[in-house]
Amino acid sequence: HFTDDIRRANELKNDGINYLDVGVSGGVWGEKRGYCLMIGGSQSEYEFLEPVFKALAPGVSGAKRTQGRENEPSPAENGYLYCGESGAGHFVKMVHNGIEYGLMAAYAEGFSILKHANQGLDKTDVDAETAPLESPMNYKYELPLKDISELWRRGSVISSWLLDLIAQEMFFSEDLDNYTGKVSDSGEGRWTSIAAIDLGVPTPVLTTALYSRFFSQQSDSFSNRVQSAMRHAFGGHQEKNTLNGGEK
């Protein structure tokens, strides 16, 4: 939590220790391709350690250069950035993860709609307690989810690394049966929402995505399995069995 960085930096300064907070993103894949670094603390200490950060980052080849950027690649283009005073690095990383929650939830909900587009093929009981599907003839699609995820990787506006990971996981198991759909949260989403409240900044998408993770820990649905698959693919995160506190 970025507030811990502020406290630690102040305490350690009294002992002659310079403290930098460095948020990283790249998951388990960062070991091979480098990872994004978000750095906070003393600028002079950052400059002293900059060769280390540059060596760990993906480098400018990690992404196509933004149109208009033609001079010597900046630190940001190389995959690392000095963000500001103590706490700034982890503050930026915190918001990064809040955005990640929202992106993952959007993909998960979209794929869940695709998966359930075959409900018109089902024979369901109609009673006073259950609203029937109004137009079953409109929802008779058995959609190839793993091929759709592969299709959207090519030329689509919503292509991304997260979508790459969905396609990878669905290739091996289209129904994602190896996941229960219990999506854990490691804290950053909560901290992002709290910071938004402190600052008076409306974040309905990010906060709702956080609440959906809370809900998933008490339920099972395909959209939650999509999120679990992404977390495992990019970060090696194992599903937590919330019933007995163990890992699944």
Short mmCIF file of all heavy atoms in Angstrom, two decimals, residues 125-181:
data_model
loop_
_atom_site.label_atom_id
_atom_site.label_comp_id
_atom_site.label_asym_id
_atom_site.label_seq_id
_atom_site.Cartn_x
_atom_site.Cartn_y
_atom_site.Cartn_z
N ASP A 125 -39.02 -25.00 -17.65
CA ASP A 125 -40.34 -24.95 -17.06
C ASP A 125 -40.79 -23.50 -16.94
O ASP A 125 -40.01 -22.61 -16.60
CB ASP A 125 -40.32 -25.59 -15.67
CG ASP A 125 -40.02 -27.07 -15.73
OD1 ASP A 125 -40.34 -27.69 -16.76
OD2 ASP A 125 -39.45 -27.61 -14.76
N VAL A 126 -42.03 -23.26 -17.24
CA VAL A 126 -42.60 -21.93 -17.11
C VAL A 126 -43.56 -21.94 -15.93
O VAL A 126 -44.48 -22.75 -15.86
CB VAL A 126 -43.36 -21.52 -18.40
CG1 VAL A 126 -44.00 -20.14 -18.22
CG2 VAL A 126 -42.43 -21.53 -19.60
N ASP A 127 -43.30 -21.08 -14.98
CA ASP A 127 -44.17 -20.99 -13.82
C ASP A 127 -44.26 -19.53 -13.38
O ASP A 127 -43.60 -18.65 -13.93
CB ASP A 127 -43.67 -21.88 -12.68
CG ASP A 127 -42.22 -21.58 -12.30
OD1 ASP A 127 -41.92 -20.41 -12.01
OD2 ASP A 127 -41.40 -22.52 -12.29
N ALA A 128 -45.07 -19.31 -12.38
CA ALA A 128 -45.32 -17.94 -11.92
C ALA A 128 -44.11 -17.32 -11.25
O ALA A 128 -44.05 -16.09 -11.09
CB ALA A 128 -46.50 -17.94 -10.94
N GLU A 129 -43.13 -18.14 -10.87
CA GLU A 129 -41.97 -17.63 -10.16
C GLU A 129 -40.78 -17.33 -11.08
O GLU A 129 -39.81 -16.74 -10.65
CB GLU A 129 -41.52 -18.65 -9.10
CG GLU A 129 -42.62 -19.05 -8.12
CD GLU A 129 -43.15 -17.86 -7.35
OE1 GLU A 129 -42.36 -16.97 -7.03
OE2 GLU A 129 -44.36 -17.82 -7.09
N THR A 130 -40.87 -17.77 -12.35
CA THR A 130 -39.73 -17.64 -13.25
C THR A 130 -40.13 -16.92 -14.53
O THR A 130 -41.06 -17.34 -15.22
CB THR A 130 -39.19 -19.03 -13.63
OG1 THR A 130 -38.91 -19.76 -12.43
CG2 THR A 130 -37.92 -18.90 -14.46
N ALA A 131 -39.45 -15.84 -14.82
CA ALA A 131 -39.72 -15.12 -16.06
C ALA A 131 -39.19 -15.93 -17.24
O ALA A 131 -38.00 -16.28 -17.26
CB ALA A 131 -39.07 -13.74 -16.04
N PRO A 132 -40.02 -16.24 -18.23
CA PRO A 132 -39.55 -17.03 -19.37
C PRO A 132 -38.71 -16.18 -20.31
O PRO A 132 -38.76 -14.94 -20.29
CB PRO A 132 -40.86 -17.46 -20.05
CG PRO A 132 -41.81 -16.34 -19.74
CD PRO A 132 -41.45 -15.87 -18.35
N LEU A 133 -37.90 -16.85 -21.11
CA LEU A 133 -37.15 -16.17 -22.16
C LEU A 133 -38.15 -15.64 -23.18
O LEU A 133 -38.90 -16.41 -23.78
CB LEU A 133 -36.16 -17.13 -22.81
CG LEU A 133 -35.20 -16.56 -23.86
CD1 LEU A 133 -34.30 -15.49 -23.24
CD2 LEU A 133 -34.36 -17.67 -24.46
N GLU A 134 -38.18 -14.34 -23.36
CA GLU A 134 -39.24 -13.73 -24.16
C GLU A 134 -39.22 -14.16 -25.61
O GLU A 134 -40.26 -14.41 -26.22
CB GLU A 134 -39.12 -12.19 -24.07
CG GLU A 134 -40.27 -11.48 -24.76
CD GLU A 134 -40.25 -9.98 -24.53
OE1 GLU A 134 -39.57 -9.54 -23.57
OE2 GLU A 134 -40.90 -9.24 -25.29
N SER A 135 -38.02 -14.24 -26.20
CA SER A 135 -37.92 -14.61 -27.62
C SER A 135 -36.88 -15.71 -27.80
O SER A 135 -35.76 -15.47 -28.27
CB SER A 135 -37.53 -13.38 -28.45
OG SER A 135 -38.45 -12.33 -28.28
N PRO A 136 -37.22 -16.95 -27.43
CA PRO A 136 -36.24 -18.03 -27.50
C PRO A 136 -35.68 -18.25 -28.91
O PRO A 136 -34.53 -18.70 -29.06
CB PRO A 136 -37.02 -19.26 -27.02
CG PRO A 136 -38.44 -18.87 -27.00
CD PRO A 136 -38.51 -17.40 -26.89
N MET A 137 -36.47 -17.91 -29.94
CA MET A 137 -35.97 -18.10 -31.31
C MET A 137 -34.78 -17.21 -31.63
O MET A 137 -34.04 -17.48 -32.59
CB MET A 137 -37.10 -17.84 -32.32
CG MET A 137 -37.52 -16.38 -32.49
SD MET A 137 -38.42 -15.72 -31.06
CE MET A 137 -39.88 -16.75 -31.07
N ASN A 138 -34.56 -16.18 -30.82
CA ASN A 138 -33.44 -15.27 -31.06
C ASN A 138 -32.13 -15.73 -30.40
O ASN A 138 -31.09 -15.14 -30.65
CB ASN A 138 -33.75 -13.87 -30.52
CG ASN A 138 -34.86 -13.19 -31.30
OD1 ASN A 138 -35.16 -13.56 -32.43
ND2 ASN A 138 -35.48 -12.19 -30.70
N TYR A 139 -32.23 -16.76 -29.58
CA TYR A 139 -31.05 -17.17 -28.81
C TYR A 139 -30.81 -18.67 -28.94
O TYR A 139 -30.97 -19.43 -28.00
CB TYR A 139 -31.22 -16.77 -27.34
CG TYR A 139 -31.41 -15.28 -27.16
CD1 TYR A 139 -32.67 -14.74 -26.92
CD2 TYR A 139 -30.32 -14.41 -27.25
CE1 TYR A 139 -32.85 -13.38 -26.78
CE2 TYR A 139 -30.49 -13.04 -27.11
CZ TYR A 139 -31.76 -12.53 -26.89
OH TYR A 139 -31.93 -11.18 -26.76
N LYS A 140 -30.42 -19.06 -30.16
CA LYS A 140 -30.17 -20.47 -30.44
C LYS A 140 -28.75 -20.67 -30.98
O LYS A 140 -28.49 -21.55 -31.79
CB LYS A 140 -31.19 -21.02 -31.43
CG LYS A 140 -32.62 -21.02 -30.89
CD LYS A 140 -33.59 -21.67 -31.86
CE LYS A 140 -34.99 -21.74 -31.27
NZ LYS A 140 -35.95 -22.42 -32.18
N TYR A 141 -27.83 -19.85 -30.49
CA TYR A 141 -26.47 -19.89 -31.00
C TYR A 141 -25.56 -20.73 -30.11
O TYR A 141 -25.43 -20.46 -28.92
CB TYR A 141 -25.89 -18.47 -31.08
CG TYR A 141 -26.71 -17.51 -31.90
CD1 TYR A 141 -27.22 -16.36 -31.32
CD2 TYR A 141 -26.97 -17.75 -33.24
CE1 TYR A 141 -27.97 -15.46 -32.07
CE2 TYR A 141 -27.72 -16.88 -34.00
CZ TYR A 141 -28.21 -15.72 -33.41
OH TYR A 141 -28.96 -14.85 -34.15
N GLU A 142 -24.95 -21.75 -30.69
CA GLU A 142 -23.89 -22.50 -30.03
C GLU A 142 -22.57 -21.91 -30.52
O GLU A 142 -22.01 -22.34 -31.52
CB GLU A 142 -23.99 -23.99 -30.37
CG GLU A 142 -25.24 -24.68 -29.84
CD GLU A 142 -25.14 -25.02 -28.37
OE1 GLU A 142 -24.15 -24.61 -27.73
OE2 GLU A 142 -26.06 -25.69 -27.86
N LEU A 143 -22.10 -20.91 -29.83
CA LEU A 143 -20.96 -20.13 -30.33
C LEU A 143 -19.62 -20.77 -29.96
O LEU A 143 -19.44 -21.23 -28.82
CB LEU A 143 -21.03 -18.71 -29.77
CG LEU A 143 -22.28 -17.92 -30.20
CD1 LEU A 143 -22.37 -16.61 -29.44
CD2 LEU A 143 -22.26 -17.66 -31.70
N PRO A 144 -18.67 -20.78 -30.89
CA PRO A 144 -17.33 -21.35 -30.63
C PRO A 144 -16.46 -20.35 -29.86
O PRO A 144 -15.72 -19.56 -30.45
CB PRO A 144 -16.79 -21.61 -32.03
CG PRO A 144 -17.43 -20.54 -32.87
CD PRO A 144 -18.81 -20.30 -32.27
N LEU A 145 -16.52 -20.40 -28.55
CA LEU A 145 -15.87 -19.37 -27.74
C LEU A 145 -14.36 -19.31 -27.96
O LEU A 145 -13.79 -18.21 -28.03
CB LEU A 145 -16.17 -19.60 -26.26
CG LEU A 145 -17.64 -19.57 -25.84
CD1 LEU A 145 -17.74 -19.55 -24.32
CD2 LEU A 145 -18.36 -18.38 -26.43
N LYS A 146 -13.71 -20.47 -28.03
CA LYS A 146 -12.25 -20.42 -28.16
C LYS A 146 -11.84 -19.82 -29.50
O LYS A 146 -10.81 -19.14 -29.59
CB LYS A 146 -11.63 -21.80 -27.96
CG LYS A 146 -11.86 -22.80 -29.07
CD LYS A 146 -11.09 -24.10 -28.78
CE LYS A 146 -11.27 -25.12 -29.89
NZ LYS A 146 -10.56 -26.38 -29.61
N ASP A 147 -12.65 -20.02 -30.54
CA ASP A 147 -12.33 -19.43 -31.83
C ASP A 147 -12.66 -17.94 -31.85
O ASP A 147 -11.98 -17.15 -32.52
CB ASP A 147 -13.09 -20.15 -32.95
CG ASP A 147 -12.57 -21.55 -33.19
OD1 ASP A 147 -11.37 -21.79 -32.94
OD2 ASP A 147 -13.35 -22.42 -33.60
N ILE A 148 -13.71 -17.54 -31.14
CA ILE A 148 -14.03 -16.11 -31.05
C ILE A 148 -12.90 -15.38 -30.32
O ILE A 148 -12.49 -14.29 -30.73
CB ILE A 148 -15.37 -15.90 -30.32
CG1 ILE A 148 -16.52 -16.42 -31.20
CG2 ILE A 148 -15.60 -14.42 -29.99
CD1 ILE A 148 -17.86 -16.44 -30.50
N SER A 149 -12.40 -15.97 -29.24
CA SER A 149 -11.30 -15.32 -28.51
C SER A 149 -10.07 -15.20 -29.40
O SER A 149 -9.33 -14.22 -29.34
CB SER A 149 -10.97 -16.10 -27.24
OG SER A 149 -10.45 -17.39 -27.52
N GLU A 150 -9.85 -16.20 -30.27
CA GLU A 150 -8.72 -16.15 -31.20
C GLU A 150 -8.96 -15.11 -32.28
O GLU A 150 -8.06 -14.34 -32.66
CB GLU A 150 -8.52 -17.53 -31.82
CG GLU A 150 -7.21 -17.71 -32.56
CD GLU A 150 -6.00 -17.66 -31.64
OE1 GLU A 150 -6.07 -18.18 -30.51
OE2 GLU A 150 -4.99 -17.06 -32.06
N LEU A 151 -10.19 -15.06 -32.78
CA LEU A 151 -10.57 -14.09 -33.82
C LEU A 151 -10.33 -12.65 -33.36
O LEU A 151 -9.74 -11.84 -34.08
CB LEU A 151 -12.05 -14.29 -34.17
CG LEU A 151 -12.71 -13.20 -35.01
CD1 LEU A 151 -12.19 -13.26 -36.44
CD2 LEU A 151 -14.23 -13.34 -34.97
N TRP A 152 -10.78 -12.34 -32.16
CA TRP A 152 -10.69 -10.96 -31.66
C TRP A 152 -9.26 -10.50 -31.42
O TRP A 152 -9.01 -9.31 -31.25
CB TRP A 152 -11.49 -10.84 -30.36
CG TRP A 152 -12.98 -10.79 -30.59
CD1 TRP A 152 -13.63 -10.63 -31.78
CD2 TRP A 152 -13.99 -10.90 -29.59
NE1 TRP A 152 -14.98 -10.63 -31.58
CE2 TRP A 152 -15.24 -10.80 -30.25
CE3 TRP A 152 -13.97 -11.07 -28.21
CZ2 TRP A 152 -16.45 -10.86 -29.57
CZ3 TRP A 152 -15.18 -11.14 -27.53
CH2 TRP A 152 -16.40 -11.04 -28.20
N ARG A 153 -8.31 -11.42 -31.38
CA ARG A 153 -6.90 -11.05 -31.22
C ARG A 153 -6.35 -10.37 -32.47
O ARG A 153 -5.31 -9.73 -32.42
CB ARG A 153 -6.06 -12.29 -30.92
CG ARG A 153 -6.36 -12.98 -29.60
CD ARG A 153 -5.45 -14.19 -29.43
NE ARG A 153 -4.05 -13.79 -29.42
CZ ARG A 153 -3.06 -14.52 -29.92
NH1 ARG A 153 -3.31 -15.68 -30.51
NH2 ARG A 153 -1.82 -14.08 -29.85
N ARG A 154 -7.04 -10.51 -33.59
CA ARG A 154 -6.51 -10.07 -34.88
C ARG A 154 -7.35 -8.94 -35.47
O ARG A 154 -8.41 -9.18 -36.04
CB ARG A 154 -6.44 -11.25 -35.83
CG ARG A 154 -5.41 -12.28 -35.39
CD ARG A 154 -5.51 -13.59 -36.14
NE ARG A 154 -4.37 -14.43 -35.80
CZ ARG A 154 -4.29 -15.15 -34.68
NH1 ARG A 154 -5.29 -15.12 -33.80
NH2 ARG A 154 -3.23 -15.88 -34.43
N GLY A 155 -6.84 -7.72 -35.33
CA GLY A 155 -7.50 -6.57 -35.94
C GLY A 155 -8.63 -5.97 -35.14
O GLY A 155 -9.17 -4.93 -35.51
N SER A 156 -8.99 -6.60 -34.01
CA SER A 156 -10.12 -6.12 -33.22
C SER A 156 -9.71 -4.95 -32.33
O SER A 156 -8.58 -4.87 -31.85
CB SER A 156 -10.64 -7.26 -32.33
OG SER A 156 -11.48 -6.76 -31.32
N VAL A 157 -10.66 -4.05 -32.10
CA VAL A 157 -10.43 -2.90 -31.21
C VAL A 157 -10.16 -3.37 -29.79
O VAL A 157 -9.43 -2.71 -29.03
CB VAL A 157 -11.66 -1.95 -31.25
CG1 VAL A 157 -11.55 -0.89 -30.18
CG2 VAL A 157 -11.77 -1.30 -32.62
N ILE A 158 -10.71 -4.51 -29.38
CA ILE A 158 -10.56 -4.96 -27.99
C ILE A 158 -9.43 -5.98 -27.83
O ILE A 158 -9.34 -6.66 -26.81
CB ILE A 158 -11.87 -5.54 -27.43
CG1 ILE A 158 -12.31 -6.79 -28.21
CG2 ILE A 158 -12.96 -4.49 -27.42
CD1 ILE A 158 -13.43 -7.55 -27.52
N SER A 159 -8.55 -6.08 -28.83
CA SER A 159 -7.41 -6.99 -28.68
C SER A 159 -6.50 -6.48 -27.56
O SER A 159 -6.36 -5.28 -27.36
CB SER A 159 -6.63 -7.09 -29.99
OG SER A 159 -6.13 -5.82 -30.36
N SER A 160 -5.90 -7.40 -26.82
CA SER A 160 -5.01 -7.04 -25.72
C SER A 160 -4.29 -8.30 -25.25
O SER A 160 -4.62 -9.42 -25.65
CB SER A 160 -5.79 -6.44 -24.55
OG SER A 160 -6.54 -7.44 -23.87
N TRP A 161 -3.33 -8.10 -24.34
CA TRP A 161 -2.64 -9.24 -23.76
C TRP A 161 -3.61 -10.10 -22.94
O TRP A 161 -3.53 -11.33 -22.95
CB TRP A 161 -1.46 -8.78 -22.90
CG TRP A 161 -0.61 -9.90 -22.39
CD1 TRP A 161 -0.23 -11.02 -23.08
CD2 TRP A 161 -0.04 -10.03 -21.09
NE1 TRP A 161 0.55 -11.84 -22.29
CE2 TRP A 161 0.69 -11.25 -21.06
CE3 TRP A 161 -0.05 -9.23 -19.96
CZ2 TRP A 161 1.37 -11.67 -19.93
CZ3 TRP A 161 0.64 -9.65 -18.84
CH2 TRP A 161 1.34 -10.87 -18.83
N LEU A 162 -4.54 -9.47 -22.24
CA LEU A 162 -5.52 -10.24 -21.48
C LEU A 162 -6.33 -11.13 -22.41
O LEU A 162 -6.63 -12.29 -22.08
CB LEU A 162 -6.45 -9.30 -20.70
CG LEU A 162 -5.85 -8.59 -19.49
CD1 LEU A 162 -6.86 -7.60 -18.91
CD2 LEU A 162 -5.42 -9.59 -18.42
N LEU A 163 -6.70 -10.62 -23.57
CA LEU A 163 -7.44 -11.44 -24.53
C LEU A 163 -6.55 -12.57 -25.06
O LEU A 163 -7.04 -13.69 -25.26
CB LEU A 163 -7.93 -10.57 -25.69
CG LEU A 163 -8.81 -11.28 -26.73
CD1 LEU A 163 -10.08 -11.85 -26.08
CD2 LEU A 163 -9.18 -10.32 -27.85
N ASP A 164 -5.27 -12.30 -25.25
CA ASP A 164 -4.34 -13.37 -25.64
C ASP A 164 -4.38 -14.52 -24.63
O ASP A 164 -4.37 -15.70 -24.99
CB ASP A 164 -2.91 -12.85 -25.71
CG ASP A 164 -2.69 -11.81 -26.81
OD1 ASP A 164 -3.57 -11.69 -27.69
OD2 ASP A 164 -1.65 -11.14 -26.77
N LEU A 165 -4.42 -14.14 -23.34
CA LEU A 165 -4.42 -15.15 -22.29
C LEU A 165 -5.73 -15.93 -22.24
O LEU A 165 -5.74 -17.14 -21.97
CB LEU A 165 -4.15 -14.48 -20.94
CG LEU A 165 -2.80 -13.76 -20.83
CD1 LEU A 165 -2.68 -13.04 -19.50
CD2 LEU A 165 -1.64 -14.74 -21.01
N ILE A 166 -6.85 -15.25 -22.51
CA ILE A 166 -8.14 -15.94 -22.58
C ILE A 166 -8.10 -16.99 -23.69
O ILE A 166 -8.51 -18.15 -23.51
CB ILE A 166 -9.29 -14.95 -22.83
CG1 ILE A 166 -9.49 -14.04 -21.63
CG2 ILE A 166 -10.60 -15.70 -23.13
CD1 ILE A 166 -10.49 -12.91 -21.87
N ALA A 167 -7.59 -16.58 -24.87
CA ALA A 167 -7.51 -17.51 -26.00
C ALA A 167 -6.63 -18.70 -25.65
O ALA A 167 -6.95 -19.85 -26.01
CB ALA A 167 -6.96 -16.77 -27.23
N GLN A 168 -5.55 -18.45 -24.97
CA GLN A 168 -4.64 -19.53 -24.57
C GLN A 168 -5.33 -20.51 -23.64
O GLN A 168 -5.24 -21.74 -23.82
CB GLN A 168 -3.43 -18.92 -23.88
CG GLN A 168 -2.49 -19.92 -23.24
CD GLN A 168 -1.41 -19.20 -22.43
OE1 GLN A 168 -0.58 -18.50 -22.99
NE2 GLN A 168 -1.42 -19.38 -21.12
N GLU A 169 -6.02 -20.00 -22.64
CA GLU A 169 -6.70 -20.86 -21.66
C GLU A 169 -7.86 -21.62 -22.31
O GLU A 169 -8.07 -22.81 -22.03
CB GLU A 169 -7.19 -20.03 -20.48
CG GLU A 169 -6.08 -19.43 -19.64
CD GLU A 169 -5.36 -20.48 -18.81
OE1 GLU A 169 -6.02 -21.40 -18.29
OE2 GLU A 169 -4.12 -20.40 -18.70
N MET A 170 -8.63 -20.96 -23.20
CA MET A 170 -9.78 -21.60 -23.83
C MET A 170 -9.36 -22.65 -24.85
O MET A 170 -10.12 -23.59 -25.12
CB MET A 170 -10.69 -20.56 -24.48
CG MET A 170 -11.52 -19.77 -23.51
SD MET A 170 -12.76 -18.77 -24.33
CE MET A 170 -13.70 -18.20 -22.90
N PHE A 171 -8.16 -22.51 -25.40
CA PHE A 171 -7.67 -23.52 -26.34
C PHE A 171 -7.57 -24.87 -25.65
O PHE A 171 -7.88 -25.91 -26.23
CB PHE A 171 -6.31 -23.11 -26.90
CG PHE A 171 -5.71 -24.15 -27.82
CD1 PHE A 171 -6.15 -24.28 -29.12
CD2 PHE A 171 -4.72 -25.00 -27.36
CE1 PHE A 171 -5.61 -25.25 -29.96
CE2 PHE A 171 -4.16 -25.96 -28.19
CZ PHE A 171 -4.61 -26.10 -29.49
N PHE A 172 -7.15 -24.86 -24.41
CA PHE A 172 -6.99 -26.10 -23.65
C PHE A 172 -8.30 -26.57 -23.03
O PHE A 172 -8.52 -27.76 -22.83
CB PHE A 172 -5.93 -25.93 -22.58
CG PHE A 172 -4.54 -25.72 -23.13
CD1 PHE A 172 -3.94 -24.48 -23.06
CD2 PHE A 172 -3.86 -26.75 -23.75
CE1 PHE A 172 -2.66 -24.27 -23.58
CE2 PHE A 172 -2.59 -26.56 -24.28
CZ PHE A 172 -1.99 -25.32 -24.19
N SER A 173 -9.19 -25.63 -22.69
CA SER A 173 -10.46 -25.99 -22.08
C SER A 173 -11.47 -24.89 -22.34
O SER A 173 -11.49 -23.87 -21.64
CB SER A 173 -10.30 -26.20 -20.56
OG SER A 173 -11.56 -26.40 -19.94
N GLU A 174 -12.30 -25.08 -23.36
CA GLU A 174 -13.23 -24.02 -23.77
C GLU A 174 -14.19 -23.64 -22.65
O GLU A 174 -14.57 -22.48 -22.50
CB GLU A 174 -14.01 -24.44 -25.02
CG GLU A 174 -14.86 -23.32 -25.59
CD GLU A 174 -15.40 -23.66 -26.97
OE1 GLU A 174 -16.16 -24.64 -27.08
OE2 GLU A 174 -15.07 -22.94 -27.92
N ASP A 175 -14.60 -24.61 -21.85
CA ASP A 175 -15.52 -24.34 -20.74
C ASP A 175 -14.80 -23.94 -19.46
O ASP A 175 -15.44 -23.65 -18.46
CB ASP A 175 -16.39 -25.57 -20.45
CG ASP A 175 -17.45 -25.80 -21.52
OD1 ASP A 175 -17.87 -24.80 -22.14
OD2 ASP A 175 -17.84 -26.96 -21.74
N LEU A 176 -13.47 -23.94 -19.49
CA LEU A 176 -12.66 -23.58 -18.32
C LEU A 176 -13.06 -24.39 -17.09
O LEU A 176 -13.15 -23.87 -15.98
CB LEU A 176 -12.79 -22.07 -18.04
CG LEU A 176 -12.39 -21.15 -19.21
CD1 LEU A 176 -12.65 -19.70 -18.84
CD2 LEU A 176 -10.93 -21.35 -19.60
N ASP A 177 -13.30 -25.68 -17.32
CA ASP A 177 -13.77 -26.55 -16.24
C ASP A 177 -12.74 -26.76 -15.14
O ASP A 177 -13.08 -27.24 -14.06
CB ASP A 177 -14.16 -27.93 -16.82
CG ASP A 177 -15.42 -27.85 -17.67
OD1 ASP A 177 -16.23 -26.94 -17.42
OD2 ASP A 177 -15.56 -28.67 -18.59
N ASN A 178 -11.49 -26.39 -15.42
CA ASN A 178 -10.45 -26.56 -14.40
C ASN A 178 -10.41 -25.38 -13.42
O ASN A 178 -9.54 -25.31 -12.56
CB ASN A 178 -9.08 -26.74 -15.05
CG ASN A 178 -8.79 -25.70 -16.12
OD1 ASN A 178 -9.72 -25.21 -16.78
ND2 ASN A 178 -7.53 -25.38 -16.31
N TYR A 179 -11.36 -24.45 -13.56
CA TYR A 179 -11.47 -23.32 -12.64
C TYR A 179 -12.84 -23.32 -11.97
O TYR A 179 -13.84 -23.64 -12.60
CB TYR A 179 -11.26 -21.99 -13.37
CG TYR A 179 -9.89 -21.83 -13.96
CD1 TYR A 179 -9.66 -22.12 -15.30
CD2 TYR A 179 -8.81 -21.42 -13.19
CE1 TYR A 179 -8.39 -21.99 -15.85
CE2 TYR A 179 -7.54 -21.29 -13.73
CZ TYR A 179 -7.34 -21.57 -15.06
OH TYR A 179 -6.09 -21.44 -15.59
N THR A 180 -12.86 -22.92 -10.70
CA THR A 180 -14.15 -22.84 -10.00
C THR A 180 -14.81 -21.50 -10.19
O THR A 180 -16.02 -21.36 -10.02
CB THR A 180 -13.95 -23.05 -8.48
OG1 THR A 180 -13.16 -21.97 -7.95
CG2 THR A 180 -13.25 -24.37 -8.20
N GLY A 181 -14.03 -20.48 -10.52
CA GLY A 181 -14.60 -19.14 -10.69
C GLY A 181 -14.58 -18.30 -9.43
O GLY A 181 -15.22 -17.24 -9.37
#
